[in-house]
Structures are given as C-alpha cells and as structure tokens.
Amino acid sequence: MDVGLAAFDMDGTLTQGRLVFALAERFGLAEKVREIQASRVEGHLQTKTIAALFSGITKTDLENAVESIPLTKNAERTVAILKEKKCRVGIISDSYTVAAEILMTRLGMDFVAANLLEILDGRLTGRVEMPLGWEKIGCFCKISVCKRYHLEEQARRFGIPIERTMAVGDTKSDICMVQRAGVGVSFMPKDDMIAKASNNVVQIPDMLRVLEFAA
Ligand SMILES: [Zn+2]
C-alpha cells in the first residue's frame, strides 16, 4: 500500500497526554471534565459544555498547557519519513486548533481539522466552533469533529483516493476514520472499541511502528 495521505489523531496518539486534561488540571476542573465525559450526552454537546468551563482562561495559559504535553516517541521522525515519501500528513482531532496548529507547524504538516475555541481580548469566551461533519454523511460518531468526514474531505482536497489514505488513532472517537481509511491503525488503543476497529494494532509506544503498515 502506497500511502498518499496520513491523518493522525492528536491526544494520546501524536502526544502522550490529553490537552483537555492538561488544561483542566491547571484550573481545578479535572473532576468536572471527567463527569461530563462519562455522561451519556452526545459527544459534540459534551465538547460544548467543556469549552464553557474554560471561559476566562488566557491564550497564554492555553499555549503553556499545550507546551507541557510531550510528543510520542518518534512522532517527528515518522512525519518526516512520510513527508519524504511525498505523503500529505495532518491532524484530525476533537481537541483544539490552538494545539493542533502548533504541532502542525512544528512537524511541518499539511492540514488540521479540530475545534476552534473563541478568543476575545486574549481570553477564552467559553464558545467553541465545531467542524462536525457526521450530520452530512450519516456517521454514527456524533462527536465535535467527525474524523471520517474530515479524512474524506482532506483526501478530496489533495486528490488522494481514499484507498491510499492512512488513519491512526487510539480511542473510540477515532473509529469512524480508522475504519474508513485504506490503512487504519489502532495505536496504543485505550479502549476495546478502537482495538477491534482494525487488524493493524500497535502496542508499543513508538510511532515508527505505524510505518510498517504504510510501506
Ligand atoms: Zn464520524
């Protein structure tokens, strides 16, 4: 399989932590965030409620939280190798653009799809612009960023057939893109659902391992 476009989840996949928790812990909101995520409410509505909790936090605090999260081993090298092969590489995340864009620039990637936190006068307003997409294609995920929809969008944008795409993720929010991609990879799966979503599973915390499936 000659992969022409690779989409990575961010939290827990390209990075070793989750931005939403790094941020919540700094402001004593971790318990509240966990409660919201454990609820049965649809994913996109959870994202809205969590963003509202962050109202008033400064852009600098947000950027510091981003910088505190370490990259997964060999994430940079993996992206560089894919780029050398003329592969388009990007992030599809249900976290926030502020983090995904910092990472995109650092790793020299081509695209990002993520939630946009509204910032006014240097502070989060508590509002969030969600790219969604599931409502357009009837995807089951109903989360703030339907990763399948955005994988298809980026493949179309760069003229890469879906059979030549790779998607890498670690939680159930990644299932719809991992199943849709030509090569779907469950990287260090955090739940049963994503572990079963693909035959390609990486259980070693080294991003270079995903290239075995992209060769
Ligand atoms: Zn979806």
Side-chain angles (χ1 to χ4, degrees):
M1 168 62 62
D2 175 25
V3 168
L5 181 140
F8 290 86
D9 164 53
M10 184 175 72
D11 286 343
T13 301
L14 283 176
T15 65
Q16 293 182 41
R18 311 196 86 74
L19 173 63
V20 70
F21 282 115
L23 199 55
E25 263 152 30
R26 279 168 187 242
F27 295 93
L29 297 165
E31 199 52 46
K32 274 189 183 158
V33 168
R34 260 187 280 273
E35 263 170 42
I36 294 164
Q37 291 187 336
S39 72
R40 292 169 153 281
V41 175
E42 284 178 0
H44 63 108
L45 298 172
Q46 294 182 15
T47 298
K48 239 180 161 169
T49 312
I50 291 169
L53 289 180
F54 294 154
S55 166
I57 290 176
T58 67
K59 190 168 184 259
T60 313
D61 285 328
L62 187 57
E63 285 163 352
N64 288 342
V66 173
E67 298 296 344
S68 75
I69 303 171
L71 288 182
T72 296
K73 186 181 175 194
N74 285 322
E76 283 180 282
R77 238 182 107 197
T78 304
V79 171
I81 290 169
L82 287 166
K83 295 286 299 176
E84 261 169 45
K85 293 183 179 178
K86 306 279 173 246
C87 181
R88 301 287 187 171
V89 188
I91 298 172
I92 302 180
S93 167
D94 56 348
S95 184
Y96 307 121
T97 53
V98 57
E101 283 170 0
I102 289 174
L103 219 55
M104 173 173 79
T105 307
R106 197 186 295 165
L107 303 186
M109 291 172 145
D110 303 292
F111 62 88
V112 155
N115 294 302
L116 178 66
L117 289 171
E118 187 183 68
I119 296 173
L120 264 181
D121 300 327
R123 284 181 188 274
L124 301 185
T125 64
R127 280 188 293 271
V128 59
E129 201 178 291
M130 299 181 287
L132 305 179
W134 45 266
E135 76 289 4
K136 298 191 181 97
I137 57 169
C139 184
F140 60 84
C141 72
K142 297 199 175 168
I143 60 173
S144 54
V145 180
C146 171
K147 302 195 178 192
R148 177 183 142 199
Y149 175 79
H150 290 279
L151 174 71
E152 289 172 351
E153 277 293 295
Q154 295 298 337
R156 209 178 354 255
R157 175 181 162 204
F158 290 110
I160 309 290
I162 201 79
E163 299 76 33
R164 290 187 55 224
T165 61
M166 179 169 79
V168 184
D170 73 319
T171 67
K172 64 178 195 289
S173 70
D174 301 306
I175 292 174
C176 68
M177 79 167 171
V178 164
Q179 288 179 336
R180 180 70 177 117
V183 181
V185 183
S186 300
F187 180 78
M188 297 295 291
K190 308 300 188 296
D191 56 64
D192 266 10
M193 285 175 274
I194 185 69
K196 287 179 186 147
S198 167
N199 291 327
N200 308 322
V201 183
V202 176
Q203 295 280 13
I204 295 160
D206 182 342
M207 192 52 77
L208 280 174
R209 294 287 174 140
V210 309
L211 295 178
E212 291 167 21
F213 305 110

